[in-house]
Amino acid sequence: MLAQKADVSGVLLAKGYAPRRTLWWRIWRARIAYILIAPAIISYLVFFFYPVAHAFVASFARYDGFTMKFDRELLHNYKRAFRDPAVPTAFLNVVRFVAVAVVGGQILSLFTALLLNGLAQGVGFYRTIYYIPAITSVVTIATTFRWVFAADPSSPANLVLRTVGLKPIRWLAQPALFIPIAGIVAIWAGLGGSTIIWMAGLKGIPREYYEAATVDGADSKRKFWSITLPLLKPVILFQSVMGLIGGMKEFGLVFVMSSGVPMGTANYTPVLMIYKYGFERFQMDYASALAFLLTIVLVVLTLLQLKVSGREITYE
Amino acid sequence: MSQLARSRPLPIKSWRRQQITSQIALYVVLSFVGLIILLPFYYMVISSLREPFYKFDRTDLDLIPKRISFDGYMAIFKPPQPWIGGISQLINGLKNTMIVEVFVVLGSTFFNGLAAYAFAKKDFPGKQFFFMMLLITIILPGEVTLVPRYLMFHKWGLLNTPLALIVPGLVGVWGIFLIRQFMSTIPNALIEAAYLDGASELRVITQIIFPLSMPVLSTYALFTFLGVWNDLFGPLLYCNVKEWQTLQLALYQFSADTFRYGSAYQDHTGIRMQTMFAGLVISALPTILVFIIFQRRIVEGIVITGLKG
């Protein structure tokens, strides 16, 4: 018992004895490790790898109810995707959503992070408040804003317009306004999380740089443009790519905020589009092909993000 | 010349005065941002406290209610239109969410903890391979599995049962990575000493590894709790029946039905809107409380994983 557990093999190996151990012996010896990882591996095989393979095959098939059929034309789902006007709408909506939510959100959250960084006391208090929307469910947020920006003349947003003396707007019911409003809600919901990440980035900048700049007579504006911003470049890149990935995966906000609003395809995001085709029209084959196109985009973005987060800028 | 003048230290008194005014300015701006963040929540709460037959189609914002009533909350517990089994749709949803929470939070912390331990402390043939396998799932988005999962659950009879939410939730690759990172800091000597004392693997796991990893396990359990509580997508796709809908799905449906009623958003009970907002408050409150109580853990987790929301 004791000899087996207190790893003797290490001693033997160190002395240069080539152990005559087969792979099977080593596998048997580590059997507990396999038992430990088995639930995770089996779960991922069943609920991830098998569905991915299935989706890949299904994207070339034709679905008839729940049965899959193949015919001569294998690429028909992909061909359809390139003709479908909903596809460019969905991806353009991501661009519009990101243009509002990520660009606006990053500038605002960097601003709040800088202010919080200058605060002598009470940082935790404000950080807590700013983060509250991020831990609130998308249903809660989207339902509230669904009412705030309702088309009625009596919705809160329209009442605000009224007090300023403006005419009511059919906010969410207007396709051109829907995605930008969703973006603004996303800014509101994401401000706390981005602020925390900016603050972590700001903490990583050595104080000496600022001290040296003060000695050289730089004012705070100059310090921001010459020290803070360049050194935050990795954080900026990271957050932008993360925001783009988040925009591509956006579903809940758009789905709940547009419930009951006749929209056609104007509010589509890629995932909402997959949902509509797959789960409302039950075109499983076409939905699978769309999911694969989205996957290609997301894999490229994720690899980009991994590359970005590995790179660092220093002034050493 | 002007640069020289700027770098000359100010007299200490005016320096302090400047400090104080700039601090006050910071507080003002940050509090304003905080108010904007909190305003929708405040609106949610006051809307849930409006008296029955309150006119939601009005011409002023009415942000400071003159009368409050808890009838909206009462309607959740004593529903005017019961869902199934005499309870309201939201209570039924709450019950189902709790069932899923118990299994997923405990199960995923346990199973991910086991796998994390193997990856952190064990050496076995194929370790790299299995680890890479899990890494790939981070790069490939889960969205691609939506449709096939639906077909799978349909074939296996899991569709529209809570098992469709529980079983896939028992393992999560982020959890494995997060916990593994912590477990690899546990000194090997401790584990070896236990072996020498004749401890079995089970004892090592239950009496050394898991107790020492409590900080990371509880952080992960918190994230899982929040994730399950707030999830809409899973229930919407895989567990979308009256009996088993979770709180978020119930809320979504309840509000979608409410908005369908027309411009006043009320039915004959006169508390439809209030009940909806009360439901939103009930959904938001536990997560906010959990966050405030455990916020240090959660903030650390956000920074480590770069995760938002």
Side-chain angles (χ1 to χ4, degrees):
Chain A
M1 182 76 185
L2 207 141
Q4 185 205 343
K5 296 279 179 172
D7 205 14
V8 183
S9 62
V11 180
L12 289 175
L13 279 171
K15 284 189 176 169
Y17 291 108
R20 279 212 336 248
R21 282 166 188 166
T22 59
L23 181 64
W24 292 115
W25 187 87
R26 287 197 293 142
I27 289 175
W28 176 247
R29 198 165 172 280
R31 59 194 178 277
I32 287 171
Y34 295 109
I35 295 170
L36 293 176
I37 64 166
I41 299 297
I42 292 169
S43 173
Y44 268 98
L45 283 175
V46 174
F47 295 114
F48 195 88
F49 288 102
Y50 169 71
V52 169
H54 190 288
F56 186 69
V57 174
S59 72
F60 297 104
R62 245 181 241 284
Y63 259 93
D64 186 16
F66 279 102
T67 49
M68 205 162 38
K69 280 181 194 147
F70 290 94
D71 51 18
R72 275 255 185 83
E73 181 75 278
L74 280 178
L75 289 173
H76 68 101
N77 286 318
Y78 289 98
K79 279 183 183 157
R80 183 178 160 195
F82 283 99
R83 283 195 312 264
D84 188 349
V87 175
T89 310
F91 281 93
L92 265 176
N93 274 345
V94 173
V95 175
R96 292 163 67 208
F97 180 80
V98 166
V100 177
V102 178
V103 177
Q106 292 315 313
I107 293 172
L108 267 175
S109 57
L110 176 59
F111 178 69
T112 51
L114 285 169
L115 294 188
L116 276 176
N117 224 28
L119 207 60
Q121 256 172 353
V123 177
F125 173 74
Y126 287 106
R127 201 181 49 194
T128 309
I129 289 178
Y130 295 172
Y131 200 67
I132 284 176
I135 42 116
T136 308
S137 79
V138 72
V139 176
T140 308
I141 290 171
T143 306
T144 306
F145 281 99
R146 162 85 176 70
W147 165 241
V148 168
F149 289 107
D152 305 60
S154 58
S155 70
N158 276 334
L159 290 180
V160 170
L161 285 191
R162 190 195 177 96
T163 49
V164 202
L166 291 170
K167 281 207 171 114
I169 295 175
R170 293 175 52 75
W171 301 98
L172 288 175
Q174 219 149 34
L177 283 181
F178 183 85
I179 292 288
I181 292 175
I184 289 169
V185 175
I187 293 178
W188 175 82
L191 186 79
S194 310
T195 305
I196 289 173
I197 293 178
W198 283 120
M199 284 177 75
L202 286 172
K203 226 180 227 169
I205 302 176
R207 283 188 80 116
E208 293 87 66
Y209 295 167
Y210 292 108
E211 281 158 15
T214 314
V215 171
D216 289 347
D219 56 3
S220 47
K221 208 191 224 169
R222 183 72 201 275
K223 282 181 205 163
F224 175 75
W225 290 107
S226 304
I227 301 173
T228 314
L229 212 56
L231 284 170
L232 282 179
K233 220 179 208 168
V235 186
I236 298 170
L237 283 170
F238 175 78
Q239 298 241 64
S240 311
V241 182
M242 284 292 279
L244 199 53
I245 293 173
M248 286 283 174
K249 293 184 172 186
E250 185 54 59
F251 172 80
L253 207 56
V254 176
F255 176 71
V256 178
M257 278 172 74
S258 62
S259 77
V261 186
M263 268 294 174
T265 63
N267 65 337
Y268 274 15
T269 59
V271 179
L272 184 63
M273 175 172 68
I274 294 167
Y275 170 81
K276 293 273 182 189
Y277 278 115
F279 296 91
E280 282 186 3
R281 301 191 204 169
F282 286 98
Q283 299 173 354
M284 301 293 190
D285 44 359
Y286 186 47
S288 295
L290 290 176
F292 252 92
L293 291 177
L294 174 64
T295 302
I296 294 169
V297 176
L298 281 173
V299 167
V300 171
L301 286 176
T302 309
L303 291 176
L304 186 72
Q305 180 226 329
L306 289 176
K307 209 178 161 196
V308 158
S309 48
R311 202 193 307 154
E312 273 180 39
I313 294 175
T314 49
Y315 274 9
E316 295 298 328
Chain B
M1 192 61 203
S2 68
Q3 278 199 349
L4 258 179
R6 205 176 288 141
S7 67
R8 194 186 304 143
L10 291 160
I12 199 82
K13 222 175 178 180
S14 68
W15 179 78
R16 278 199 60 187
R17 197 177 303 143
Q18 208 183 353
Q19 263 324 73
I20 290 167
T21 43
S22 77
Q23 285 290 313
I24 289 172
L26 285 183
Y27 280 118
V28 170
V29 178
L30 288 168
S31 302
F32 178 71
V33 176
L35 277 181
I36 292 173
I37 296 286
L38 290 181
L39 195 61
F41 289 100
Y42 175 72
Y43 189 77
M44 214 152 72
V45 172
I46 58 166
S47 301
S48 73
L49 293 173
R50 302 288 192 196
E51 69 270 16
F53 295 101
Y54 174 83
K55 278 177 74 68
F56 277 90
D57 51 340
R58 55 191 303 116
T59 52
D60 61 319
L61 269 168
D62 194 15
L63 279 178
I64 300 152
K66 282 160 218 78
R67 271 177 46 196
I68 61 164
S69 119
F70 288 92
D71 286 28
Y73 292 87
M74 291 306 291
I76 291 180
F77 295 101
K78 280 206 188 81
Q81 300 129 321
W83 193 240
I84 23 177
I87 54 174
S88 69
Q89 186 178 11
L90 299 181
I91 290 289
N92 184 53
L94 195 62
K95 182 199 83 191
N96 292 333
T97 296
M98 292 314 285
I99 292 172
V100 177
E101 285 282 8
V102 169
F103 285 102
V104 172
V105 170
L106 293 179
S108 76
T109 311
F110 177 70
F111 286 121
N112 290 333
L114 290 186
Y117 167 53
F119 282 120
K121 290 295 172 195
K122 296 277 175 193
D123 201 16
F124 53 93
K127 184 173 168 176
Q128 290 302 315
F129 170 78
F130 288 120
F131 200 69
M132 283 308 288
M133 197 175 127
L134 294 182
L135 259 177
I136 286 170
T137 66
I138 286 182
I139 296 169
L140 277 174
E143 277 68 19
V144 72
T145 66
L146 295 178
V147 173
R149 268 195 194 194
Y150 181 85
L151 298 171
M152 259 164 66
F153 290 151
H154 175 81
K155 210 193 272 171
W156 297 347
L158 296 180
L159 198 67
N160 295 334
T161 71
L163 284 175
L165 303 177
I166 293 170
V167 179
L170 291 179
V171 169
V173 69
W174 280 114
I176 295 176
F177 289 166
L178 186 77
I179 300 169
R180 184 193 79 113
Q181 206 173 11
F182 184 92
M183 280 183 177
S184 39
T185 63
I186 297 175
N188 287 331
L190 215 58
I191 302 167
E192 277 154 25
Y195 286 145
L196 282 174
D197 289 341
S200 66
E201 195 68 56
L202 191 72
R203 267 187 83 134
V204 170
I205 292 171
T206 55
Q207 300 200 334
I208 297 177
I209 302 296
F210 274 31
L212 282 177
S213 306
M214 263 313 158
V216 74
L217 292 178
S218 54
T219 303
Y220 178 69
L222 278 176
F223 271 106
T224 311
F225 171 82
L226 293 177
V228 171
W229 186 273
N230 289 340
D231 187 23
L232 170 70
F233 209 25
L236 180 72
L237 297 191
Y238 307 126
C239 195
N240 199 345
V241 277
K242 266 183 114 169
E243 192 186 353
W244 285 113
Q245 55 180 216
T246 61
L247 178 64
Q248 297 304 323
L249 186 58
L251 270 175
Y252 162 69
Q253 229 183 49
F254 192 89
S255 65
D257 291 344
T258 307
F259 288 131
R260 209 168 289 142
Y261 281 136
S263 69
Y265 303 114
Q266 290 290 19
D267 56 7
H268 64 276
T269 61
I271 46 168
R272 179 94 196 174
M273 278 287 270
Q274 293 89 323
T275 312
M276 181 187 89
F277 279 111
L280 299 184
V281 172
I282 289 177
S283 145
L285 211 55
T287 56
I288 293 174
L289 284 180
V290 162
F291 173 62
I292 289 174
I293 296 168
F294 300 104
Q295 69 152 307
R296 269 193 58 178
R297 290 248 163 93
I298 292 176
V299 169
E300 274 164 26
I302 300 159
V303 173
I304 292 170
T305 57
L307 197 91
K308 291 191 289 181

